[in-house]
Amino acid sequence: MPLFSVIVPVNNKIATLSTSLECLYRQTFRDFEVIAIDDGSTDGSLDVLIQHEKAGLLRLFQQDSMGGGDYASYNLGADKAKGHWLVFYDAKGIMLLDHLSCFANDIAHNPGIELFFNAYQKIQGQSRLPYLKGMPFERLSRFEALRALARFDFIHINGVCISRDRFVSLGCFPAGYYRRSSDVYFWLKVLCELRTVHYNATVTSLWLIKHENSINDMRQVFELPPALQLFKEYNSKLTRSELRQFRRAINRKVISRAVQKKKLGQSVCLDLKALELSAMSMRLWINAASLLVPQPYYDRLCSRIK
């Protein structure tokens, strides 16, 4: 059996598919399989995947209910996986050649850990954007991981490696319940369940944000972040310090979603009411206060910032 199963969901990604797959095939670490899940592509992506399957480069599956979304595709891929470890790969990104080798090395040196992260970097056009530094190259306790997530998004779907058994035991991504941010919900849940995770500060994947500007389903923005549903589940299971960072991380995601809604001229009253006021940092208070600015002035402020 391969060490890794790399799961690639595909739905009309012809613009980046060939380049993304080529990065995957050129990995310096070779003990892996590629599982592609086509989700009703109509732009020629399925034809490309069929050709690659015939060449023996990947195993191809199609969702029974087309349009199930990337999270449902990841779950299907996990069900079909033969590897001990799952690696997720959005075909809108770039996987650097040492991505899997970094995971393999960290797994070998950290027995007992079931969740690994590599750093990622955003790229726009031909330029890499600055990324936040300061995260350690080490094992992170539950408190440290939650505190990091309360500060910034150090987790990206392309930079995660998780034990297949752990992924399945926690129910996989809640694909049938939320249209967006199912991965954020799941990572928060895993961080609450595991005592220790591992973070590697080496950038091994690039996120092409030029493909993230459009929103296919406007209801995605109007929903409250699904992570709010975790409050009750873990309120009594975490220490006081862990719970504070957990709540702060969720507050940050709530405000982030509210900013998107505000830019679209939508009410953010429910979002602000959902905040846990006892777990607000100064930065979060400032961001929340900016959402109270009347819409015309807020729009003017955003245009100046751009």
Side-chain angles (χ1 to χ4, degrees), residues 96 98-99 118-121 128 131 200-206:
L96 303 185
D98 61 345
H99 187 67
N118 286 346
Y120 71 95
Q121 191 168 8
R128 294 194 190 188
Y131 68 100
N200 189 326
T202 304
V203 173
T204 63
S205 65
L206 305 177

Side-chain angles (χ1 to χ4, degrees), residues 266-279:
Q266 301 297 318
S267 172
V268 296
C269 291
L270 291 179
D271 305 80
L272 295 177
K273 289 181 179 179
L275 295 173
E276 179 64 41
L277 300 184
S278 64

Side-chain angles (χ1 to χ4, degrees), residues 188 227-228 230-231 246-255:
L188 264 171
L228 283 167
L230 293 172
F231 267 139
F246 172 67
R247 288 175 170 172
R248 186 168 290 181
I250 295 180
N251 278 346
R252 187 176 65 80
K253 300 307 294 187
V254 170
I255 291 176

Side-chain angles (χ1 to χ4, degrees), residues 177-188:
Y177 299 98
Y178 309 112
R179 287 179 286 271
R180 193 181 185 201
S181 299
S182 288
D183 59 328
V184 175
Y185 172 97
F186 185 77
W187 304 134
L188 264 171

Side-chain angles (χ1 to χ4, degrees), residues 284-298:
L284 292 178
W285 276 117
I286 293 173
N287 290 338
S290 71
L291 295 172
L292 298 175
V293 175
Q295 193 69 46
Y297 298 101
Y298 186 85

